Amino acid sequence: EALKVNKTLQKLLLGLNPAITPIGAKKLAEALKKNKSLRSVSLYRCNIGDEGTVHLSEAIRHNTTLEFLSLFHNNIGNEGGQQLVNALEQNDSLQKLELRCNPIRSGLIEQIERILELNRVNKSARGEEGAKQETVVATDKTKEEKKP
């Protein structure tokens, strides 16, 4: 509840917390829909999976301030990846999304990369602060390429 109304917190580090699960991701997503101050959220190794990603994707659709989201090593598959693509198509603030060590197919990763690059370019064109940051979808492509 506090995150919904907080006006000062800009960075939230919740990584290495496998107890978060999809249930915690849902609660965080509810807060992110209303929060207007957070710019960076790290949820690496929080065991959220596709189900938690569905909730976070819904929040991404509504959030206008989040610029960085780390979902590194969360067992997010193609379902979660597609939800992220759909959400990012309605969001122009997120610029960097860390997705390493998740089994998302390369086509979805490429779509996410294109959308994030467009967000960065648009932010730069508007002259907004932070637009010069590198826009990267961090993935484990070498692992994908070795799969049969």
Side-chain angles (χ1 to χ4, degrees):
E1 290 299 313
L3 277 178
K4 289 180 183 178
V5 295
N6 186 288
K7 293 180 180 4
T8 57
L9 187 65
Q10 293 188 10
K11 191 173 196 176
L12 184 61
L13 305 173
L14 297 172
L16 294 173
N17 193 344
I20 287 181
T21 72
I23 295 166
K26 182 178 182 179
K27 291 181 185 216
L28 177 61
E30 291 168 5
L32 285 174
K33 286 179 189 177
K34 300 188 185 263
N35 181 280
K36 301 295 181 207
S37 66
L38 278 174
R39 296 195 181 282
S40 176
V41 174
S42 181
L43 289 169
Y44 67 93
R45 292 185 180 234
C46 286
N47 198 30
I48 65 168
D50 284 333
E51 184 182 344
T53 306
V54 169
H55 299 303
L56 291 172
S57 294
E58 183 61 27
I60 289 169
R61 284 182 180 89
H62 299 281
N63 186 285
T64 59
T65 58
L66 195 62
E67 296 174 349
F68 171 78
L69 177 61
S70 175
L71 297 176
F72 168 74
H73 207 288
N74 270 292
N75 199 31
I76 299 167
N78 294 330
E79 179 186 348
Q82 185 61 58
Q83 291 295 320
L84 288 168
V85 168
N86 296 344
L88 288 169
E89 288 174 342
Q90 298 175 34
N91 174 291
D92 65 357
S93 64
L94 198 64
Q95 295 180 47
K96 186 173 180 182
L97 180 57
E98 189 174 53
L99 291 170
R100 283 182 305 205
C101 297
N102 287 297
I104 302 171
R105 69 179 168 83
S106 61
L108 289 172
I109 295 297
E110 290 167 6
Q111 284 180 276
I112 292 168
E113 287 174 338
R114 281 193 296 273
I115 295 167
L116 293 175
E117 177 63 18
L118 183 60
N119 284 355
R120 187 193 64 74
V121 168
N122 288 341
K123 189 169 186 172
S124 179
R126 291 189 303 259
E128 293 181 26
E129 184 180 323
K132 293 181 175 140
Q133 295 177 357
E134 181 182 8
T135 301
V136 175
V137 176
T139 61
D140 191 3
K141 289 185 179 181
T142 55
K143 199 174 196 179
E144 282 184 15
E145 294 169 359
K146 292 180 182 177
K147 289 181 182 176

